[in-house]
Amino acid sequence: MGFLSLAFLQEALVFILHKKHTPLDIIQHQLLTVPMLASSLAVAMEVVYPHSPLVACGRVVAVMLQGTWFWGIAHIAYEGGLRFASGFDAAAAAAVHLSLPPPAATASAAAAAAATLAHS
């Protein structure tokens, strides 16, 4: 279990220390390092307290949070759903901004859905 803790720590250090290009890349990687470090800490605590169900649940939650980060980023990057706002400056780089589809696209999709329901 001690080596698993070091593996999560090494993974977090790789994400922290590699060169990032845009503020959005920096934010994405910082968001992922939190559950990685939490996983490392939880596994290290599980070595000290092997029979603690609270520590085991903490490890599970941290690993699941890391997995949901990958799932969410893959959805944004490859599915074409929500998009990251591209025009933000250094002052706004502290938060991740998501923008919904343009209102015209939303209105046309709602009209198409209403027409489909009306015909059924």
Side-chain angles (χ1 to χ4, degrees), residues 51-65:
H51 300 292
S52 171
L54 186 61
V55 174
C57 287
R59 175 182 47 89
V60 169
V61 167
V63 172
M64 287 178 66
L65 184 61

Side-chain angles (χ1 to χ4, degrees), residues 6-96:
L6 291 175
F8 280 119
L9 183 63
Q10 181 270 338
E11 181 184 22
L13 288 175
V14 166
F15 267 76
I16 291 170
L17 297 176
H18 86 275
K19 187 176 180 179
K20 298 148 200 103
H21 301 286
T22 66
L24 181 60
D25 289 338
I26 294 169
I27 292 168
Q28 289 174 345
H29 288 82
Q30 286 175 348
L31 287 174
L32 181 58
T33 57
V34 172
M36 286 178 182
L37 292 173
S39 297
S40 178
L41 179 66
V43 171
M45 287 181 61
E46 204 168 8
V47 170
V48 177
Y49 303 107
H51 300 292
S52 171
L54 186 61
V55 174
C57 287
R59 175 182 47 89
V60 169
V61 167
V63 172
M64 287 178 66
L65 184 61
Q66 185 177 349
T68 57
W69 181 92
F70 283 111
W71 188 37
I73 293 299
H75 176 72
I76 290 170
Y78 299 111
E79 291 289 324
L82 297 173
R83 294 278 185 212
F84 284 111
S86 59
F88 61 85
D89 56 0
V96 176

